[in-house]
Amino acid sequence: EPEVTQTPSHQVTQMGQEVILRCVPISNHLYFYWYRQILGQKVEFLVSFYNNEISEKSEIFDDQFSVERPDGSNFTLKIRSTKLEDSAMYFCASSETERGGQYFGPGTRLTVT
Amino acid sequence: GQQLNQSPQSMFIQEGEDVSMNCTSSSIFNTWLWYKQDPGEGPVLLIALYKAGELTSNGRLTAQFGITRKDSFLNISASIPSDVGIYFCAGIGGSNYKLTFGKGTLLTVNP
């Protein structure tokens, strides 16, 4: 069964450093998303991406965040200058249609020290 | 913004029992999804609902989308130990594609 994959599974970085989180969405899906989940809290939307551009972003997704689909398979989230409060699980998701079921990857645990 | 109120917050049941959890909102959603999340893992899609009043099953799981599009319930029949986890409802509403998540229901099944 097709699935969303994410790398790395765990990333530790120092405050102020740049990180890139990588995702490979399900191959025939056209809509891509990033969410985050702070420990013990609910999943929060960051950004949606369709047709090579951002279709929606949340207040969390400020100028320090960017997304890119560098080729036909990868979808990346970059945080330019990490802050302590960026520590969270980051989930990539994809869907076939704009309001279809979204399938999540296993997540990347980001720890900012 | 849109919010989903999920209840109960936690449940403790015996193996073999049926369980029900629900979500309500003051906003209308076009799509309603139910996910299960195990510790340290990503949410796994259980059931997707697209039409008001829709009743859908996936094995021992049954979910319904309320007629008003503002609520949904998830039932699990004959629970087993591997049903343990956090169950989230999530909705897509308005003109956007993002998922709004509920706070989750923690299910514990005693063997």
Side-chain angles (χ1 to χ4, degrees):
Chain A
E1 185 174 329
E3 58 183 20
V4 176
T5 59
Q6 290 185 243
T7 54
S9 57
H10 192 184
Q11 175 87 49
V12 181
T13 189
Q14 289 191 326
M15 193 168 53
Q17 295 296 304
E18 175 184 286
V19 294
I20 297 177
L21 310 183
R22 302 180 191 280
C23 167
V24 178
I26 294 173
S27 61
N28 65 329
H29 286 187
L30 301 176
Y31 298 82
F32 314 117
Y33 315 85
W34 284 100
Y35 293 83
R36 80 172 186 189
Q37 186 179 32
I38 294 171
L39 187 63
Q41 298 186 21
K42 65 179 182 179
V43 178
E44 300 176 289
F45 169 78
L46 292 178
V47 65
S48 59
F49 191 87
Y50 169 70
N51 200 24
N52 280 320
E53 60 182 22
I54 291 173
S55 46
E56 188 178 3
K57 58 184 180 179
S58 71
E59 293 177 351
I60 303 168
F61 195 89
D62 61 21
D63 291 345
Q64 294 301 310
F65 290 85
S66 63
V67 289
E68 191 178 27
R69 186 155 165 83
D71 53 44
S73 60
N74 290 284
F75 180 50
T76 61
L77 174 69
K78 181 193 290 186
I79 309 175
R80 288 188 184 82
S81 178
T82 50
K83 304 188 285 286
L84 293 176
E85 54 265 37
D86 293 329
S87 295
M89 282 288 283
Y90 287 80
F91 295 108
C92 173
S94 68
S95 64
E96 193 172 359
T97 60
E98 60 185 338
R99 293 197 172 89
Q102 293 182 19
Y103 292 83
F104 282 71
T108 293
R109 178 173 298 283
L110 177 65
T111 302
V112 182
T113 61
Chain B
Q2 296 173 321
Q3 285 192 332
L4 291 176
N5 302 306
Q6 191 169 349
S7 64
Q9 193 171 13
S10 62
M11 301 184 74
F12 298 85
I13 62 172
Q14 292 296 126
E15 183 177 357
E17 288 184 351
D18 299 342
V19 62
S20 182
M21 58 193 79
N22 66 80
C23 272
T24 61
S25 174
S26 57
S27 306
I28 291 174
F29 286 90
N30 299 310
T31 299
W32 209 295
L33 307 172
W34 283 94
Y35 289 90
K36 178 176 183 278
Q37 185 177 32
D38 292 330
E41 298 184 13
V44 174
L45 181 62
L46 300 174
I47 291 180
L49 301 163
Y50 301 104
K51 299 178 183 177
E54 180 179 356
L55 181 70
T56 297
S57 293
N58 178 9
R60 293 180 295 107
L61 278 61
T62 302
Q64 185 160 29
F65 200 169
I67 291 292
T68 63
R69 291 184 168 271
K70 293 182 178 181
D71 63 294
S72 175
F73 70 75
L74 174 70
N75 288 340
I76 305 173
S77 63
S79 58
I80 58 178
S82 61
D83 290 334
V84 165
I86 302 177
Y87 291 80
F88 289 98
C89 61
I92 301 173
S95 59
N96 55 55
Y97 313 148
K98 70 176 185 182
L99 277 176
T100 299
F101 276 79
K103 291 185 177 181
T105 294
L106 173 62
L107 178 64
T108 302
V109 179
N110 296 316

